[in-house]
Amino acid sequence: MGHRRIAFLALTLATALAFAAPVANAQAPAAPTYYLKTTIAMPVWANLENISTDISWVDPASHTMVIGDRTGNAVEVIDTNSYTFVRAAGQGNFAGRLATADGGPNGVAQVSPVEAVGADGNSSLKLVNMFSGDVQSISTGGTHRADELAYDPSTDTVMVANDREDEGKNFVTLIKIHPLQILGKIDYSNAPGGLEQPVVAPGGRFYFAVPATTENPGGEIDVINQASRSIERRIPVGDCRPTGLVQGIDGRVVTASGCVVDIQSGNVVARIAGAGGDEAGSVPTIGVYAWIVPDPDSEGSFRLNLGDANTNQVYQSLPAFGAHNLAGNWVTGEIFTPDLVNKRILVFAPTVPVGGKGK
């Protein structure tokens, strides 16, 4: 293992441990207001129409953002320090945008200083070198797309969901990244309606959003144990129907529908009005949640709604352009979201500087 990779894993592990550990926010100040700081031009989108993107991921350690771009058939790489587009990695190696739901790349994450993974439409996980363009692939063994995923650097493991399998025989796969190998699978045929976003959890675990199961029609948050490759705990969440899932504060997770779930107690402690969509974003280090929602006052327009983790209320709403993808930088506080209308990335920043960046 090279020194560069060791340094990256150390930095990323420190970040991930902060992600996974309960983010304490006792007596924290009110969440900061945001403004549109800058935009990032995306030249690869210049000649594309009806652009379809999926998960975005920001790695503070390497100052990199990656986006699953189905229309561009690539993992788009962005430098979050200079706010510039870097390259379309692995272009032409994914399913691309299809008339069916089996396009790709879908879920993405960065797994080394030079590598990202992308879940693809042919039930595979692809490991892409963001600089050389080299691609490795491993099948999850399904028939349809691999979709949502999360990466745990403490175990070098990705959990990825197959959410559209025939006859509802959905499943998740745990995959070791270096080298690529299947560690195990977990059956989710009790959830034929789909599987959504996992997030890294403490102690070699993932939290997993399941919108509906036979046992819990209103959805559940599952605790996945990597070592036993099993569902350690199911947390019913009433009628929250969790799709997007992000880290909250004080041992909580937050769904795209705005449900704030305390993992230890298993209680839904709040439901934030003004949330929505099928993805959410968060910067829990400063107590901020984020959603892209339709503008109630302007048909066809959208807003970036920001929620305060301490009050569990939306406290600010800013114009956005409809892409449902959100990624928060836990170090700088910045929130990134694509503007597919104007073919750029919007960068929203807190007015109070965080981690050396701000207004």
Side-chain angles (χ1 to χ4, degrees):
M1 181 182 291
H3 295 297
R4 192 175 179 212
R5 175 164 154 70
I6 292 171
F8 170 83
L9 287 179
L11 284 168
T12 306
L13 177 56
T15 303
L17 290 174
F19 284 20
V23 180
N25 229 36
Q27 298 180 335
T33 57
Y34 274 69
Y35 72 107
L36 179 61
K37 180 177 183 178
T38 190
T39 63
I40 302 170
M42 294 293 289
V44 289
W45 293 346
N47 298 318
L48 300 179
E49 299 297 333
N50 302 316
I51 302 165
S52 174
T53 59
D54 200 16
I55 299 295
S56 304
W57 168 289
V58 171
D59 181 73
S62 62
H63 311 293
T64 304
M65 175 182 177
V66 291
I67 307 173
D69 180 4
R70 290 179 286 237
T71 310
N73 200 320
V75 173
E76 308 298 359
V77 183
I78 291 154
D79 184 324
T80 60
N81 245 6
S82 61
Y83 306 113
T84 55
F85 169 76
V86 178
R87 63 180 48 83
Q91 190 165 38
N93 286 277
F94 292 91
R97 183 175 184 179
L98 304 178
T100 68
D102 288 335
N106 303 304
V108 296
Q110 189 175 349
V111 297
S112 86
V114 299
E115 296 168 310
V117 290
D120 203 6
N122 64 347
S123 189
S124 70
L125 183 78
K126 290 184 167 63
L127 177 63
V128 181
N129 187 300
M130 295 183 291
F131 298 90
S132 72
D134 292 342
V135 176
Q136 301 175 53
S137 183
I138 189 168
S139 174
T140 62
T143 304
H144 296 287
R145 74 176 184 182
D147 189 24
E148 309 278 10
L149 60 78
Y151 173 64
D152 184 350
S154 72
T155 59
D156 194 30
T157 299
V158 161
M159 174 177 147
V160 60
N162 275 62
D163 65 336
R164 300 287 180 94
E165 288 302 300
D166 295 336
E167 301 176 0
K169 296 180 179 178
N170 296 330
F171 62 92
V172 301
T173 308
L174 296 170
I175 302 174
K176 184 78 170 179
I177 298 302
H178 300 99
L180 278 178
Q181 57 180 307
I182 302 294
L183 298 176
K185 298 184 182 183
I186 303 171
D187 176 69
Y188 267 96
S189 54
N190 70 328
L195 303 170
E196 293 290 343
Q197 185 69 40
V199 295
V200 179
R205 288 162 174 81
F206 293 103
Y207 299 141
F208 188 33
V210 186
T213 64
T214 305
E215 300 83 356
N216 295 299
E220 62 191 48
I221 305 297
D222 289 353
V223 181
I224 304 297
N225 187 312
Q226 295 179 41
S228 64
R229 296 153 199 169
S230 65
I231 303 170
E232 183 174 273
R233 183 182 172 203
R234 300 176 189 269
I235 303 173
V237 291
D239 64 347
C240 288
R241 295 190 176 276
T243 51
L245 189 70
V246 292
Q247 291 282 358
I249 64 169
D250 300 329
R252 300 170 180 176
V253 293
V254 184
T255 72
S257 57
C259 290
V260 182
V261 182
D262 183 276
I263 293 295
Q264 183 173 359
S265 69
N267 293 329
V268 179
V269 298
R271 189 159 188 169
I272 302 173
D278 73 338
E279 292 185 24
S282 74
V283 189
T285 44
I286 54 173
V288 174
Y289 307 140
W291 303 270
I292 299 292
V293 300
D295 187 335
D297 300 320
S298 179
E299 186 175 354
S301 298
F302 293 83
R303 309 287 297 182
L304 170 67
N305 280 0
L306 300 174
D308 188 323
N310 296 287
T311 64
N312 290 321
Q313 294 181 340
V314 169
Y315 69 95
Q316 188 179 10
S317 184
L318 296 162
F321 288 87
H324 62 170
N325 322 113
L326 291 157
N329 186 324
W330 286 32
V331 173
T332 67
E334 293 167 329
I335 295 171
F336 298 76
T337 183
D339 169 5
L340 303 182
V341 175
N342 297 296
K343 301 178 180 180
R344 58 186 182 171
I345 306 295
L346 307 180
V347 184
F348 294 92
T351 52
V352 177
V354 178
K357 279 194 172 186
K359 192 164 185 175

